[in-house]
Amino acid sequence: MDVTLADGYRMFVEEVGEGFPLIVLHGGPGLDHKMFRPYLDALADELRLLYVDERGQGRSDAVDPETLTLDAFARDVDRLAEALRLERFALLGHSFGAIIATHHAIEYGTAAAYVVSGGADSSETLMADVEAKLESLGPDGAAIAESWEREKIVQTDDEVRELLREQMPFHFHGTPPAGYYESFVPSPRVLRHFANAGYGDFDYRAQLGRVARPTLVVVGEFDQTTTPRAARVLHEGIAGSELKIVPDAGHMSFVEQPEEYLHAVRSFLRGAAA
């Protein structure tokens, strides 16, 4: 469905299920909500899932990528909640979506609860973790690094899908599902912009004490992108937070081990909804 926000922007949202609202933010930037489906759909037996195509991406209206910032994405969460007249809601973000969710939890805190899935503590440590792992992989790591470098000049949807094909083995502990990324609606302009400008210069470590809402931090045991190290920093910095390390999973833990992932999220959000 199309939702018009207070600033007149048209955002695309896929709604599944009924119950306590859960706004879901995808990774990227430059991807869309289809990365979650059908893997999170089982939560719809208890929750109203609101899969968002973030500003400028997927089937939401295109924008000048220069206007896209972590704060702009975070403010859209509250604009969407206002447009849908949500009195209470939870927020789940994965990967770049988790970075947005953490920003929202620190700066706004209007969600009843947060699920930070595959999150990062700072842009500096995120890149250090990734670069160290790529170096340890030798020629395979060099090929993946070269693929990320080509994001800076990507032009077409098919080129984005080719880059995803090359990068997915880094994000999965096991074998990626056949055709996992084929249904994605990529946004090459947005991906190209962030590849050149950086993915947001953030450092949450000194600000995590400002998070006052119940928070679940989720990470795959073998996540090479947003690592268990980062998850522990987030968990230790957010008072009262819960930490779930999903066994035998990489960065895409909800794809590789959906039962473990969904059980943790479902149990946590039952408490938040109550």
Side-chain angles (χ1 to χ4, degrees):
M1 64 178 174
D2 292 332
V3 180
T4 302
L5 307 187
D7 63 348
Y9 181 75
R10 186 199 64 84
M11 175 171 283
F12 182 81
V13 179
E14 190 84 26
E15 184 173 0
V16 182
E18 298 179 354
F20 188 72
L22 175 63
I23 296 174
V24 184
L25 302 179
H26 61 78
L31 302 179
D32 75 323
H33 78 278
K34 289 191 176 182
M35 68 183 303
F36 292 116
R37 305 200 64 195
Y39 303 98
L40 298 191
D41 285 1
L43 294 172
D45 63 348
E46 296 185 32
L47 298 165
R48 178 186 178 190
L49 300 176
L50 297 165
Y51 293 112
V52 176
D53 281 357
E54 293 153 24
R55 185 175 289 252
Q57 297 161 79
R59 285 187 277 176
S60 293
D61 280 348
V63 298
D64 179 354
E66 295 284 347
T67 65
L68 299 175
T69 64
L70 283 174
D71 194 62
F73 290 132
R75 283 187 286 113
D76 276 345
V77 171
D78 287 342
R79 290 188 181 115
L80 177 62
E82 179 183 7
L84 295 178
R85 297 184 174 89
L86 304 181
E87 295 183 3
R88 297 176 72 241
F89 65 93
L91 180 63
L92 183 154
H94 180 75
S95 194
F96 189 73
I99 294 170
I100 298 169
T102 306
H103 180 95
H104 188 275
I106 291 169
E107 298 296 337
Y108 300 102
T110 53
Y114 292 87
V115 178
V116 177
S117 173
D121 52 333
S122 77
S123 50
E124 179 182 6
T125 56
L126 169 63
M127 292 309 301
D129 285 344
V130 170
E131 288 169 2
K133 186 59 183 179
L134 288 173
E135 185 174 352
S136 75
L137 294 175
D140 288 342
I144 293 170
E146 192 275 334
S147 174
W148 270 322
E149 188 67 20
R150 281 188 280 125
E151 291 181 354
K152 295 179 178 179
I153 57 171
V154 69
Q155 296 289 330
T156 68
D157 290 3
D158 285 342
E159 287 174 354
V160 174
R161 294 190 180 97
E162 176 61 19
L163 293 176
L164 290 172
R165 184 191 65 78
E166 296 172 11
Q167 295 165 9
M168 281 297 158
F170 187 80
H171 295 312
F172 281 83
H173 177 55
T175 302
Y180 169 61
Y181 49 84
E182 292 296 338
S183 67
F184 291 8
V185 180
S187 301
R189 287 183 66 220
V190 174
L191 175 60
R192 186 171 67 246
H193 166 75
F194 279 96
N196 283 285
Y199 291 86
D201 185 13
F202 64 93
D203 188 343
Y204 295 140
R205 291 170 291 186
Q207 304 175 70
L208 294 172
R210 295 170 57 189
V211 179
R213 298 290 191 177
T215 302
L216 171 65
V217 179
V218 185
V219 67
E221 179 184 7
F222 299 103
D223 192 330
Q224 302 179 120
T225 310
T226 52
T227 62
R229 177 209 61 77
R232 290 188 179 96
V233 172
L234 294 169
H235 168 56
E236 291 167 5
I238 300 173
S241 65
E242 300 178 25
L243 174 63
K244 172 62 178 180
I245 298 178
V246 180
D248 297 320
H251 186 54
M252 309 306 289
S253 54
F254 59 90
V255 178
E256 294 193 86
Q257 299 295 339
E259 289 188 9
E260 287 268 356
Y261 186 98
L262 294 177
H263 177 72
V265 172
R266 187 189 302 275
S267 298
F268 170 73
L269 289 178
R270 279 175 180 163

